Amino acid sequence: MSSLRADNIAPYIGLAQRANAVLYGEDIILERIKFAKVVLIDLDASDKYKERLLKKIKGCPVYITANLKTALHKDGVNSVAVTNDNLANAIIEILR
């Protein structure tokens, strides 16, 4: 788990959105976790929310990023999962 700014990964998140390869929000992510290649949680999300999500996600890289809502251009979204292998790998490489 790492805490970085989402500015560097914004282009990849945008590509994933256009490719319909993004799952938005805790419920959808947990429902379709087997498709998730990387999960991003907003740094501004509550500690309880982050802990709950981190406990439930196994076998998938999770990163806590600042300004995730800005990169997504969506308010009210505290977490996303990218389902495309190539885009997820690019995001992981940047966040490492």
Side-chain angles (χ1 to χ4, degrees):
M1 185 177 62
S2 178
S3 176
L4 299 166
R5 293 182 54 88
D7 300 344
N8 298 336
I9 60 170
Y12 295 103
I13 292 174
L15 285 171
Q17 287 175 314
R18 288 189 285 284
N20 288 326
V22 177
L23 304 174
Y24 299 97
E26 177 185 9
D27 294 335
I28 300 296
I29 291 171
L30 294 177
E31 184 178 302
R32 298 182 184 181
I33 192 65
K34 64 184 174 187
F35 299 110
K37 307 301 179 201
V38 64
V39 176
L40 306 171
I41 303 172
D42 196 314
L43 184 64
D44 295 335
S46 72
D47 290 337
K48 187 175 181 179
Y49 179 86
K50 288 185 259 189
E51 287 176 26
R52 187 171 61 234
L53 211 52
L54 290 170
K55 282 182 186 176
K56 293 180 181 179
I57 295 175
K58 304 287 185 231
C60 179
V62 178
Y63 293 92
I64 297 176
T65 61
N67 300 329
L68 182 62
K69 293 174 187 173
T70 305
L72 292 169
H73 301 290
K74 290 183 181 276
D75 290 335
V77 176
N78 287 319
S79 59
V80 296
V82 177
T83 60
N84 180 287
D85 283 323
N86 294 327
L87 293 171
N89 288 336
I91 290 169
I92 291 168
E93 280 299 314
I94 291 170
L95 294 178
R96 270 193 197 157

